[in-house]
Amino acid sequence: MRSTAEIYKEVAQRCSAYDKKDHKDCFCNVETDTKSCLNCRHFAEDEHCRLDLYDPIVKDL
């Protein structure tokens, strides 16, 4: 499910399974300091949570 960057941040703040991706060797333009679904290990490239936690969290926002 695609959403706005702000919603991804809010969901990640409330997610107990959030696990930040490591971008140690990346010289890319990726915002890694902000907690967001977009930089979580469980968030797939096609923008869905592999643990199916996104929908229950966003429903309570």
Side-chain angles (χ1 to χ4, degrees), residues 24-38:
K24 294 176 187 173
D25 299 329
C26 180
F27 293 106
C28 49
N29 190 14
V30 176
E31 187 176 341
T32 58
D33 293 336
T34 302
K35 194 172 185 180
S36 171
C37 294
L38 298 173

Side-chain angles (χ1 to χ4, degrees), residues 7-8 10-12 18-19 21-22 25 27 29 32 36 40-41 43 47-48 50-53 55-56 58-60:
I7 295 295
Y8 286 142
E10 290 181 38
V11 170
Y18 174 80
D19 187 12
K21 287 182 192 175
D22 291 329
D25 299 329
F27 293 106
N29 190 14
T32 58
S36 171
C40 178
R41 290 182 189 271
F43 202 65
E47 297 189 12
H48 78 275
R50 291 183 187 108
L51 303 178
D52 292 325
L53 297 173
D55 288 334
V58 81
K59 181 180 75 167
D60 291 334

